[in-house]
Amino acid sequence: MLAKDLKPGTVFKHNDAPHILESVTVQSPSARGGNTLYKFRARNLVTKQKADLVCKGTDNLEDADFQKREVTLMYTDAESVHLLDSEDYNQYSIATADVENEMKYVAESLQGLIALIYDGECVGLQVPATVELVITQTDPGVKGNSATGRTKPATLETGCTLQVPEYLKEGEKIKVDTRTHEFLGRA
């Protein structure tokens, strides 16, 4: 894979271990003949350690050897998230702390969850790029302000909060971008 083509959520091999890409920063040089640099923040899927990499856009990164399995959420407890494979009904567990960012978007009925399986163990969880969630708590909008671009905080059914337009009310279903944590529109 070329470094310039990588997006957050991509899994690649670095130092003989699978890493998931968490963020990308592009640095363009101002001098002539300079190469564009890509700064990656990745997390080792086995040891959970963070790694910072700097690559040129034409550098190649090795694709990681792992499986992607479609799963459904069974239940969560204090230490683990328990998942069920949709095809062969294998059960996987992963520490809650390892997937706390992804769990902000996981409601009970969410379809399209992908478990990352490496050596028979679940090492990561991928959520769809957009999810539909219900607003459970938000302040009422002020009459006459619906045409402005102002936003207000809203708490969603999973417990996470984000900024939404003022005209939205409690009980409405909205689309959320899981990569940028932004409101996309009504569902």
Side-chain angles (χ1 to χ4, degrees), residues 14-185:
H14 174 65
N15 292 341
D16 294 327
H19 285 68
I20 188 164
L21 189 60
E22 292 183 343
S23 66
V24 178
T25 306
V26 180
Q27 185 177 15
S28 297
S30 58
R32 291 184 192 175
N35 290 322
T36 301
L37 297 178
Y38 292 83
K39 295 182 179 183
F40 300 125
R41 167 62 58 99
R43 182 172 31 96
N44 187 320
L45 289 173
V46 178
T47 64
K48 310 304 179 208
Q49 292 178 332
K50 302 257 186 219
D52 290 322
L53 292 101
V54 178
C55 301
K56 295 177 184 172
T58 55
D59 288 350
N60 283 320
L61 293 169
E62 190 177 345
D63 201 1
D65 185 26
F66 68 98
Q67 288 182 314
K68 286 185 175 183
R69 307 288 295 181
E70 189 169 331
V71 293
T72 55
L73 176 68
M74 289 185 354
Y75 64 95
T76 61
D77 55 30
E79 302 90 32
S80 300
V81 174
H82 302 277
L83 307 163
L84 180 68
D85 192 316
S86 300
E87 292 176 26
D88 61 10
Y89 302 109
N90 281 337
Q91 294 181 16
Y92 302 108
S93 295
I94 187 166
T96 305
D98 295 341
V99 291
E100 63 184 334
N101 288 341
E102 291 85 357
M103 291 305 291
K104 291 190 289 191
Y105 307 108
V106 178
E108 285 185 25
S109 60
L110 180 65
Q111 299 294 315
L113 277 176
I114 303 290
L116 306 175
I117 309 299
Y118 185 73
D119 287 340
E121 276 189 52
C122 182
V123 294
L125 187 64
Q126 286 183 330
V127 293
T130 60
V131 293
E132 295 180 0
L133 297 170
V134 176
I135 297 174
T136 57
Q137 192 281 323
T138 189
D139 297 330
V142 178
K143 191 165 181 79
N145 285 344
S146 62
T148 64
R150 294 195 301 188
T151 61
K152 62 182 180 180
T155 304
L156 304 178
E157 63 184 301
T158 58
C160 74
T161 60
L162 76 144
Q163 293 293 319
V164 298
E166 266 192 343
Y167 59 84
L168 292 175
K169 300 185 279 280
E170 290 181 15
E172 288 193 66
K173 190 179 261 194
I174 62 169
K175 288 183 183 179
V176 179
D177 188 329
T178 59
R179 297 163 298 192
T180 60
H181 193 64
E182 291 178 346
F183 167 80
L184 293 176

